[in-house]
Amino acid sequence: MSETARRLSATAAAPLDLPERFEDMLERLHVVRLPMVTRFRGITEREVALFAGPAGWAEFSPFTEYGTAEASRWLRAGLEFAGFVPTLAEAAPAAASSRGFVPERVSVNGTLPACAPNEVESILSRYGTVSTIKAKVAEHGIDSLDEDLERLRELRRLFPDTTLRLDANAGYSLPDALEACEAFAGFELQYFEQPVAGVEGLAQLREALTRRDIPIVLAADESIRKAEDPLRVAELGAAEVIIVKVQPLGGIGQALSVIAASGLPAVVSSALESSVGLAAGAELAARLPRTRASRDILGESVACGLGTGRLFTADVVFESASLTPVDGSIPAARITPDPDRLQQLAVDPGRFDWWTRRLQQCWTFLRRGGTAEV
């Protein structure tokens, strides 16, 4: 691990000055269930916990399969955004100031889940006019290749001039990734996100693509947000773009520090959040540094993966106030949930109790600097 990575890790792992019980600080906790338009990431509804702090509302929504250590980073991000704990900002000031201004709106891409070709148009129509689309592939690894190609052909038929990105969520082995890359190269991709697992796997794939002269730019997602050393992607030259998400990285400050330390172009993406969680992503996206490499690969206006509000049939605010894209962008603004929506979308008591136990486990973990036996 590099010295910079050690400093970032040590800062993020420092114990937080929190009371023993989260109820002593978080006066209002709401857990809601958001139904989805179509199956995405293997789920058809998303549960998220919401709470208010001195700076406003924040979200805690790690996926249910995540362990306490990983989920605790999501809680730290929420506490930071709500104003309960300070920002982790070793490199954040330099990153934030490199643009010279903070825009009121940020560009977003449309997201196409793994779906039947005849669903492509209806799903993407929910986004309105967008210049960039990210399509999910490899739901069943290489066995999905024919279905993926059929879906992408339909997408290109409907949107021939749209910038296209792919995301495999580390669904391929190295040999399968090479086969898939050869098949996808003709779609003129902006980049291909995390075809294989691990930083070393990405580095091996990039070397193989270069040897075979396959013109695909690789982006790292899981190798950033799940790795012990998120800067190893840059050190090994494993990818040319990094995907950053506020909650998995532990907050806006930590995300900006990782971006600045890596020196790589960055795209902010959501973790399938409500509009409250998307607001933190929009703030980070508005503060992205712009470099020559970023402009060369991503263009003048970076389309971030924050349009996922369109994947839900309901949100914690009404449509007019939600962070759903209009003409390819969303506002960089905080969100206050609607009380009626919080009540209508509330989970049952059993699920609420499950989330309170989980939040307390993560809370204890953060209080003790990640050394708690929970």
Side-chain angles (χ1 to χ4, degrees), residues 17-18 25 83 97 181 191 205 289 302 342:
D17 184 15
L18 301 172
M25 181 175 281
S97 64
C181 284
Y191 60 72
L205 177 59
V302 179
L342 290 176

Side-chain angles (χ1 to χ4, degrees), residues 172-232:
Y172 296 123
S173 66
L174 180 58
D176 289 345
L178 281 170
E179 179 183 345
C181 284
E182 289 180 338
F184 294 143
F187 289 95
E188 299 181 359
L189 308 181
Q190 185 180 70
Y191 60 72
F192 193 177
E193 186 176 327
Q194 202 74 46
V196 296
V199 181
E200 288 74 12
L202 267 183
Q204 293 170 7
L205 177 59
R206 190 176 180 198
E207 292 174 1
L209 291 174
T210 300
R211 287 196 304 270
R212 298 190 183 194
D213 197 27
I214 300 175
I216 287 184
V217 172
L218 296 182
D221 176 12
E222 284 85 349
S223 290
I224 294 293
R225 61 184 170 90
K226 287 181 173 287
E228 180 181 348
D229 181 0
L231 302 183
R232 190 160 170 76

Side-chain angles (χ1 to χ4, degrees), residues 144-154 180 183-184 187:
S144 302
L145 183 58
D146 289 341
E147 297 173 8
D148 292 335
L149 291 170
E150 188 176 1
R151 185 184 320 112
L152 294 178
R153 291 187 192 104
E154 177 64 6
F184 294 143
F187 289 95

Side-chain angles (χ1 to χ4, degrees), residues 217-350:
V217 172
L218 296 182
D221 176 12
E222 284 85 349
S223 290
I224 294 293
R225 61 184 170 90
K226 287 181 173 287
E228 180 181 348
D229 181 0
L231 302 183
R232 190 160 170 76
V233 168
E235 292 171 1
L236 293 184
E240 297 169 77
V241 175
I242 59 172
I243 310 300
V244 292
K245 300 179 180 181
V246 173
Q247 286 198 80
L249 284 175
I252 292 173
Q254 183 77 343
L256 285 169
S257 295
V258 168
I259 293 167
S262 75
L264 294 173
V267 175
V268 180
S269 191
S270 87
L272 202 57
E273 295 137 320
S274 74
S275 283
V276 172
L278 289 174
E283 181 176 326
L284 174 59
R287 298 169 63 184
L288 281 179
R290 304 294 287 124
T291 64
R292 178 177 296 179
S294 176
R295 291 184 176 91
D296 287 346
I297 298 174
L298 303 172
E300 286 295 327
S301 178
V302 179
C304 290
L306 299 172
T308 50
R310 290 294 184 191
L311 295 175
F312 297 114
T313 62
D315 199 352
V316 294
V317 290
F318 290 97
E319 175 73 17
S320 59
S322 67
L323 291 193
T324 49
V326 175
D327 293 330
S329 69
I330 62 172
R334 283 185 174 266
I335 294 294
T336 298
D338 180 270
D340 291 337
R341 283 296 178 99
L342 290 176
Q343 184 175 2
Q344 293 164 7
L345 298 168
V347 298
D348 61 65

Side-chain angles (χ1 to χ4, degrees), residues 330-369:
I330 62 172
R334 283 185 174 266
I335 294 294
T336 298
D338 180 270
D340 291 337
R341 283 296 178 99
L342 290 176
Q343 184 175 2
Q344 293 164 7
L345 298 168
V347 298
D348 61 65
R351 291 304 298 165
F352 183 85
D353 290 344
W354 185 91
W355 275 95
T356 58
R357 290 194 300 271
R358 189 183 203 198
L359 196 155
Q360 183 62 57
Q361 288 177 335
C362 294
W363 185 273
T364 302
F365 192 89
L366 292 175
R367 284 185 70 241
R368 301 181 183 177

